[in-house]
Amino acid sequence: MILMTDRIKCSHILVKKQSEAVAIIERLKKGESFANLARELSIDKGSGKRGGDLGVFGRGMMVKPFEEAAFKLKKGEMTQEPVKTEFGYHIIKRVN
C-alpha cells in the first residue's frame, strides 16, 4: 500500500554553521518570511532563488538525516533545530 506520505514537498534554507541556522530559526519564529530568508541566506543557490523550494520528493531521494527530519514534519511545520548533513545545516519547512 502506497501512502500519500511517501511523497512530500519541502523548502529549506542551507547554511554552513549551526549558529547561523539557529539565528535563522529565531528570525522565522518572529515571523520573517521563509522564502525571503532562503533567497537571502541559503548557500543552496538552486533552491534559494525559488525561496527554498525543493519540490516534491519521495523516500530515498535525499540524504538520510534530511529525509528523516522532513518526513517527521506535519504540513506547514518547520524543523525547530538545525538538521546537520554533509552539506551543512538545514532548516526544513514542509509545504505539503
Side-chain angles (χ1 to χ4, degrees):
M1 184 172 97
I2 295 178
L3 300 168
M4 286 304 290
T5 54
D6 284 350
R7 293 180 67 76
I8 60 174
K9 183 174 182 181
C10 291
S11 294
H12 81 144
I13 299 170
L14 175 63
V15 292
K16 286 258 187 257
K17 295 192 199 121
Q18 186 173 8
S19 58
E20 288 175 271
V22 169
I24 292 167
I25 290 169
E26 287 310 309
R27 290 174 68 179
L28 289 164
K29 285 180 182 172
K30 288 182 179 129
E32 287 196 53
S33 159
F34 194 98
N36 288 348
L37 289 174
R39 277 191 277 275
E40 182 188 334
L41 302 169
S42 185
I43 58 173
D44 178 349
K45 294 304 175 200
S47 71
K49 65 175 179 259
R50 296 189 304 273
D53 185 3
L54 291 168
V56 174
F57 57 90
R59 293 187 186 276
M61 294 174 69
M62 299 290 181
V63 291
K64 213 53 174 158
F66 185 100
E67 177 185 299
E68 285 172 1
F71 275 90
K72 280 182 192 157
L73 295 171
K74 292 181 178 72
K75 188 175 169 179
E77 273 187 340
M78 176 185 86
T79 51
Q80 299 300 302
E81 300 287 328
V83 177
K84 186 181 192 314
T85 69
E86 64 257 43
F87 303 108
Y89 292 87
H90 306 260
I91 299 118
I92 308 165
K93 182 178 180 183
R94 180 161 171 189
V95 180
N96 66 15

